[in-house]
Amino acid sequence: MRTQVVIIGSGPSGLLLGQLLHGIGVETVILERASRDHVLGRVRAGVLEQGTVELLEEAGVAARLHAEGLPHSGISLAFDGRLHRIDLAALTDGRHVTVYGQTEVTHDLMDKRDAAGLTTVYEAANVTPHDFDSGAPFATYDKDGVSHRIDCDFIAGCDGYHGVSRKSVPASALKIFERQYPFGWLGVLAEVPPADHELVYANHERGFALCSMRSTHRSRYYVQCPEGDRVEAWSDDRFWDELRRRLPEQTAASVVTGSSFEKSIAPLRSFVAEPMRFGRLFLVGDAAHIVPPTGAKGLNLAASDVRYLFAGLRDFYAEKSHAGIDAYSQKALARVWKAVRFSWWMTTMLHRFPDTGEFGQRIQEAELDYLVHSRAASTALAENYVGLPY
Ligand code: APR
Ligand code: PHB
């Protein structure tokens, strides 16, 4: 079998790239290790930059997002017992973010791919990219005990942090940058109206908390928890009590509790693998980089990688130009590192670290106080939060 671009992974990166390429007549096959239901069952973040929304529009998958997504023109920082609003729109010439779950983005992209009759092989085992340093790469995989080979022009490694693409590159060709944070996020989804109409990021001496949402009737909340904590140790009651203790009184009083239907703990890390291109293999999204969720950048960074790679492949197929694919890694990484810095900074400013102590807590409060009272500092946060230019 032959196709133009083999895409490994049917997360948002792989599906979005596939849809954009389909729009210019480039054929793709997606190889996905998990089942469709498994991919759709993963709960991830849900804040889209305007540039991400525009790319989804270009791919023709923004109708439901526009109908059901919630445009937000501000966020609040909670500290010192009260909320301090950052007016994102006023500080960024009217830009905003859209609250729409990644699961829904994935769903819309899968439906679109199905409707176009494009091939996705789910439950593909032992997916392996081959000969990507030559002009004739190919991928192999097993399905129902039968081995398959697909020859192609390019391979896009959209297979996430644990994928095979990055692991297929010789270690000597990769430079890894990594930072682990000594805590996790315990997240809860509940069918209850959100405590506030916008997101609230709280710095508290008991630890960080975040009030987010998926819709006007579904809330997503997080509390910072110790590294190694187990989800079984957190009953719903314990979670709601801890969340409310970390919020200003008025916000805590607005928390509507209910039984959770998803509860999980995620570790926090920053990770970057350089470069993002090896001959005819490209790393895209979580396969190349991970950010802690504090800045809501993971999905948006995946979309910006896709945007650069799509532009490069479009020029290759339309004009036989290699310039765009040659520049992919450098362009993508320039934007990645700015988001890595922003996510690290938000994480550092808002969480309680083992060595934060009373001094560190006062420094954080001073930084937050400066941030919300200085237009220059608020603008720096706002322009990063809504998304830096491409
Ligand atoms: N073979 C085939 N598919 C694989 C393999 C493999 N060896 N390993 C992983 N995959 C699949 C996973 O099952 C998953 O469906 O690749 C997909 C990767 O999807 P994501 O992890 O969602 O990564 P990406 O598409 O880059 O999306 C980035 O997801 O993790 C969040 O914060 C992140 O929001 C960001 C977004
Ligand atoms: C979420 O809604 O899951 C979410 C929102 C904002 C973040 C992280 C996660 O910064």
Side-chain angles (χ1 to χ4, degrees):
M1 183 176 174
R2 191 185 155 79
T3 191
Q4 287 172 293
V5 181
V6 166
I7 297 174
I8 306 180
S10 82
S13 308
L15 289 162
L16 181 54
L17 180 65
Q19 209 51 47
L20 289 164
L21 288 173
H22 172 64
I24 57 163
V26 173
E27 190 188 74
T28 59
V29 170
I30 296 186
L31 302 177
E32 165 60 53
R33 179 170 60 187
S35 69
R36 186 187 160 108
D37 286 349
H38 180 89
V39 174
L40 285 174
R42 292 191 289 236
V43 177
R44 299 257 173 89
V47 177
L48 307 182
E49 294 174 1
Q50 223 163 295
T52 302
V53 170
E54 283 159 16
L55 199 62
L56 291 164
E57 283 167 357
E58 191 176 339
V61 287
R64 196 161 69 94
L65 182 163
H66 284 308
E68 296 175 19
L70 306 172
H72 280 199
S73 58
I75 57 170
S76 285
L77 300 174
F79 59 95
D80 207 15
R82 59 190 198 92
L83 292 188
H84 307 259
R85 184 170 187 266
I86 303 284
D87 191 333
L88 299 173
L91 294 163
T92 62
D93 285 331
R95 296 182 76 78
H96 64 270
V97 293
T98 302
V99 171
Y100 188 67
Q102 180 175 320
T103 313
E104 306 311 317
V105 172
T106 308
H107 213 299
D108 295 345
L109 282 161
M110 281 182 171
D111 288 352
K112 189 84 179 170
R113 190 168 175 88
D114 289 349
L118 307 177
T119 309
T120 304
V121 183
Y122 290 103
E123 295 173 89
N126 304 318
V127 176
T128 313
H130 300 272
D131 289 5
F132 46 82
D133 49 357
S134 79
F138 63 98
T140 54
Y141 67 97
D142 299 330
K143 172 82 184 170
D144 301 329
V146 182
S147 299
H148 300 264
R149 166 179 172 144
I150 311 183
D151 292 280
C152 56
D153 302 328
F154 298 102
I155 301 174
C158 302
D159 47 353
Y161 180 69
H162 299 288
V164 66
S165 300
R166 194 182 66 250
K167 288 181 195 139
S168 304
V169 175
S172 60
L174 276 175
K175 181 150 175 62
I176 303 292
F177 302 83
E178 197 163 17
R179 171 153 308 189
Q180 311 262 6
Y181 300 87
F183 39 74
W185 274 21
L186 168 65
V188 154
L189 261 180
E191 205 65 15
V192 293
D196 193 283
H197 69 292
E198 291 177 341
L199 271 60
V200 176
Y201 290 84
N203 174 305
H204 190 270
E205 59 189 18
R206 294 183 66 84
F208 170 78
L210 170 60
C211 309
S212 181
M213 65 194 75
R214 291 290 173 272
S215 66
T216 51
H217 50 84
R218 182 172 288 187
S219 299
R220 179 71 167 160
Y221 290 108
Y222 298 94
V223 294
Q224 173 186 351
C225 64
E227 204 175 14
D229 230 10
R230 287 172 45 251
V231 82
E232 295 74 28
W234 287 87
S235 66
D236 283 358
D237 285 346
R238 183 179 169 207
F239 178 84
W240 294 119
D241 285 346
E242 189 59 40
L243 174 71
R244 286 180 294 198
R245 292 175 83 164
R246 297 181 187 190
L247 297 173
E249 223 171 280
Q250 230 183 323
T251 313
S254 305
V255 171
V256 182
T257 61
S259 65
S260 70
F261 62 91
E262 201 272 349
K263 197 186 281 158
S264 53
I265 294 181
L268 270 71
R269 70 159 67 86
S270 303
F271 173 93
V272 182
E274 294 185 357
M276 290 170 62
R277 177 212 176 179
F278 307 88
R280 287 176 172 255
L281 171 70
F282 304 95
L283 301 182
V284 184
D286 276 19
H289 42 76
I290 298 286
V291 288
T294 325
K297 289 295 166 221
L299 174 59
N300 293 298
L301 273 189
S304 84
D305 291 353
V306 166
R307 184 187 165 111
Y308 291 124
L309 181 56
F310 169 62
L313 292 172
R314 185 182 52 204
D315 292 351
F316 175 85
Y317 283 110
E319 301 160 20
K320 289 269 165 283
S321 164
H322 284 76
I325 51 181
D326 287 348
Y328 167 68
S329 178
Q330 191 207 337
K331 278 191 177 173
L333 282 167
R335 198 165 185 281
V336 163
W337 272 109
K338 292 193 184 76
V340 169
R341 184 211 67 84
F342 176 66
S343 308
W344 161 83
W345 172 74
M346 285 275 280
T347 304
T348 306
M349 176 174 65
L350 291 169
H351 289 74
R352 189 116 182 127
F353 287 70
D355 61 357
T356 297
E358 290 177 353
F359 178 81
Q361 178 76 15
R362 287 290 187 276
I363 292 289
Q364 285 184 344
E365 285 165 10
E367 177 156 25
L368 286 160
D369 195 48
Y370 168 63
L371 183 59
V372 299
H373 289 107
S374 154
R375 189 175 172 92
S378 304
T379 304
L381 183 147
E383 69 180 7
N384 278 278
Y385 197 85
V386 301
L388 293 175
Y390 294 107

